[in-house]
Amino acid sequence: MTETIHVDQFLAQPPAKVWRMLTEPDRLARWWAAGDIRPEVGHRFTLDMGGWGRQPCTVTEVDDERLLSYTFGEGGVDWTITWRLVAEGTGTRLFLEHGGFDLDDPGHQKSFTNMSRGWAGSVLPRLARELEEVAAS
């Protein structure tokens, strides 16, 4: 049985600005991870996850300013990260799904717990702060 992390975050910027933070390498590196991402189905890239190494990714789905999905990980890990952007007032509701955790595997169980906390408590709030800084400059 696989499990998926679900997190959503309201961001006080329109979808076009959020999209740029998700799909432009220099912006993505400022709040999450360095990598040569490009919103093009089939594009292969890596994300530098620091102590966890460079993770190979492949873009699987793109709907400009609405949806970006890619595989994530190596060594038998079959994870998918999906970002869905929905306009909400003058801002954006960003939905994250990080799927493919095999909860029968103790390593996956630990990753699921840690990443659930990390996405909600650290990574998406960093994105919100980065968007605020960019808007203020």
Side-chain angles (χ1 to χ4, degrees):
M1 175 179 107
T2 62
E3 188 60 69
T4 300
I5 297 167
H6 297 272
V7 182
D8 74 270
Q9 172 86 38
F10 177 77
L11 302 164
Q13 297 296 320
K17 289 187 178 181
V18 176
W19 182 254
R20 291 181 67 195
M21 293 300 248
L22 298 173
T23 62
E24 293 180 10
D26 59 325
R27 293 176 188 264
L28 184 67
R30 288 167 47 183
W31 65 272
W32 185 37
D36 55 339
I37 193 166
R38 190 169 63 236
E40 177 182 297
V41 173
H43 175 63
R44 294 179 184 274
F45 64 101
T46 59
L47 289 173
D48 185 349
M49 303 308 296
W52 293 279
R54 295 180 61 81
Q55 299 300 312
C57 304
T58 302
V59 176
T60 57
E61 196 173 355
V62 174
D63 184 359
D64 284 344
E65 297 185 6
R66 289 185 181 90
L67 181 90
L68 176 67
S69 188
Y70 46 87
T71 61
F72 176 88
E74 66 183 345
V77 174
D78 190 18
W79 289 337
T80 300
I81 294 177
T82 301
W83 304 98
R84 190 167 47 92
L85 295 74
V86 177
E88 185 174 307
T90 59
T92 305
R93 178 69 57 181
L94 180 64
F95 295 92
L96 163 72
E97 292 182 0
H98 185 166
F101 294 90
D102 177 0
L103 296 186
D104 293 332
D105 178 302
H108 274 234
Q109 228 174 33
K110 182 178 179 181
S111 293
F112 179 81
T113 300
N114 291 338
M115 290 182 186
S116 293
R117 279 182 273 187
W119 281 120
S122 179
V123 179
L124 290 182
R126 263 196 322 266
L127 170 58
R129 285 191 302 275
E130 186 64 30
L131 277 163
E132 288 172 15
E133 288 177 20
V134 167
S137 61

